[in-house]
Amino acid sequence: EVQLVQSGAEVKKPGDSLRISCKDSGSRFTSYWFGWVRQMPGKGLEWMGLIYPGDSDTRYSPSFQGQVTISADTSISTAYLEWSSLKASDSGMYYCARQPGGYPFDIWGQGTMVTVSS
Amino acid sequence: EIVLTQSPGTLSLSPGERATLSCRASQSVSNNYLAWYQQKPGQSPRLLISGASTRATGIPDRFSGSGSGTDFTLTISRLEPEDFAMYYCQQYGNSPWTFGQGTKVEIK
């Protein structure tokens, strides 16, 4: 069974750095796009960006460009979402999801809750 | 960037009734690459429909999608208790991909 397993909840302070992960089990990791979606408390889904681990092609939403970095390590079939300096407004649930070419997100991770508070 | 507007914001219906959800795009969605997702409280979203009208694996046939260009519809023919949830549309034809703001289907 294909699964995306995300890293656990994080509590950080403003200005901290953070990297959360999404491990793919069961897929051909380099043959799919992997994306990240934010959901702030009580709000809707926001598409942040995605990466194609096969060639590291990465796309960002203009809203998140320069605010986060998406990367992948093909040796361990894991995608990452990274912040260099967190803000309180980065608090929320972050989902990773798999996207076959020409198809929407078909497999989702369980989500990682990020809380940024002083 | 394509803006997706979903309506209504909330739909109050009874089990057994028909639900009709709308998703309107600010410009034409390439290849009709429009998806619908269901999300229940505390859960990750689940793909229901891809390509505007193709049900994902394991999705009951009471869910159907239609539309093209800028106007799309998700129909739930007869609501089951487990269908009361949030529904989001997403376009994945034009980068950046975008989501609608969601429609809540609640029990009347």
Side-chain angles (χ1 to χ4, degrees):
Chain A
E1 179 193 1
V2 176
Q3 286 188 85
L4 297 179
V5 180
Q6 298 186 228
S7 49
E10 301 275 2
V11 179
K12 294 290 187 182
K13 295 188 184 313
D16 284 352
S17 62
L18 175 65
R19 188 175 76 168
I20 61 175
S21 66
C22 170
K23 183 171 177 58
D24 172 38
S25 61
S27 296
R28 292 175 59 187
F29 186 64
T30 54
S31 298
Y32 295 89
W33 291 86
F34 289 85
W36 291 93
V37 174
R38 182 174 79 176
Q39 187 167 40
M40 300 178 77
K43 301 299 184 182
L45 305 173
E46 300 174 86
W47 186 85
M48 300 177 70
L50 40 65
I51 188 167
Y52 188 78
D55 61 7
S56 297
D57 187 5
T58 309
R59 316 278 176 87
Y60 292 95
S61 165
S63 299
F64 292 94
Q65 177 87 48
Q67 308 304 309
V68 297
T69 301
I70 295 171
S71 61
D73 184 337
T74 57
S75 67
I76 54 173
S77 299
T78 300
Y80 299 100
L81 179 65
E82 185 171 10
W83 294 262
S84 60
S85 181
L86 286 160
K87 302 183 284 288
S89 57
D90 293 318
S91 295
M93 180 70 84
Y94 292 85
Y95 294 101
C96 70
R98 186 186 81 167
Q99 181 171 354
Y103 200 71
F105 290 134
D106 63 346
I107 305 291
W108 291 68
Q110 83 276 20
T112 296
M113 178 63 74
V114 174
T115 303
V116 184
S117 174
S118 55
Chain B
E1 168 174 325
I2 292 181
V3 176
L4 298 178
T5 302
Q6 292 187 239
S7 61
T10 302
L11 203 47
S12 298
L13 295 167
S14 300
E17 290 194 296
R18 181 184 188 91
T20 303
L21 288 66
S22 173
C23 177
R24 179 161 291 177
S26 60
Q27 61 192 81
S28 186
V29 176
S30 294
N31 301 307
N32 292 324
Y33 278 177
L34 193 287
W36 291 92
Y37 300 89
Q38 177 193 68
Q39 187 181 33
K40 298 179 181 179
Q43 296 186 16
S44 304
R46 177 175 72 144
L47 177 66
L48 299 175
I49 300 287
S50 66
S53 61
T54 302
R55 274 188 302 277
T57 303
I59 301 305
D61 61 7
R62 63 180 181 273
F63 291 91
S64 63
S66 62
S68 64
T70 60
D71 287 294
F72 300 89
T73 301
L74 175 70
T75 301
I76 310 171
S77 58
R78 287 177 55 85
L79 282 163
E80 297 287 341
E82 62 267 29
D83 299 337
F84 292 91
M86 283 294 294
Y87 292 84
Y88 296 94
C89 60
Q90 181 210 15
Q91 67 82 20
Y92 55 101
N94 305 72
S95 187
W97 312 162
T98 49
F99 288 95
Q101 82 281 16
T103 290
K104 182 178 182 180
V105 178
E106 65 176 23
I107 300 177
K108 187 174 181 179

